[in-house]
Amino acid sequence: MPVQLDHTIMHATDKFVSARFLAELTGVGEPVETGPFAAVTFANDLTVDYADTVVAPEAIVLQHLAFRVTDEEFDEIFGRIQERGLPYWADPHHEKPQQIGHLDGARGVYVDDPDGHAIEFLTPRTGASLDTDAS
């Protein structure tokens, strides 16, 4: 069996607010309380488990989650980002606001969750060149 990521834990100021944010953007079901976590489950059985921080909110270490999605899923997710009026970027350093990134034929977009964790959605690469566009 190949190695596969099973779950990851993200700290949040409110586990259900952050879990719902991710679940709504990706179009998966409502988060489920599992012990101390609010779990978002994806079709491949990966779960992103959100935990309320036990320290001050400013002590949360920001993390980056990247999700490979189909072109159709990307369009749906990007539509939800735009519908909500969320800021988004073409790059991880937030230097290209309100743009989609293009790298080797893939499209990518970054959005921050309610605690500032970077959430990236990208399509598979096809070998084309690097570019960004204000889509």
Side-chain angles (χ1 to χ4, degrees):
M1 177 173 144
V3 174
Q4 179 178 317
L5 184 63
D6 182 76
H7 70 278
T8 190
I9 298 171
M10 304 287 286
H11 288 122
T13 53
D14 184 318
K15 64 186 176 189
F16 274 102
V17 168
S18 293
R20 282 189 188 100
F21 177 86
L22 180 60
E24 289 172 2
L25 281 185
T26 56
V28 300
E30 180 74 11
V32 175
E33 188 162 7
T34 306
F37 305 109
V40 179
T41 303
F42 295 92
N44 60 355
D45 291 327
L46 166 68
T47 63
V48 176
D49 298 334
Y50 283 88
D52 288 329
T53 183
V54 293
V55 295
E58 59 273 7
I60 291 177
V61 175
L62 297 181
Q63 296 180 53
H64 173 198
L65 292 177
F67 294 93
R68 174 92 23 108
V69 297
T70 65
D71 283 309
E72 180 180 292
E73 290 167 326
F74 184 91
D75 292 340
E76 292 170 0
I77 291 166
F78 186 62
R80 292 181 194 114
I81 290 169
Q82 290 181 308
E83 285 170 10
R84 288 168 175 76
L86 297 173
Y88 59 91
W89 298 267
D91 65 304
H93 303 291
H94 296 160
E95 294 172 352
K96 297 175 180 137
Q98 303 311 107
Q99 296 179 51
I100 292 175
H102 297 271
L103 177 62
D104 291 335
R107 294 182 293 160
V109 67
Y110 294 79
V111 64
D112 290 345
D113 83 355
D115 287 301
H117 296 294
I119 310 295
E120 176 184 7
F121 300 101
L122 68 155
T123 61
R125 293 180 180 190
T126 61
S129 65
L130 172 64
D131 186 24
T132 59
D133 116 38
S135 297

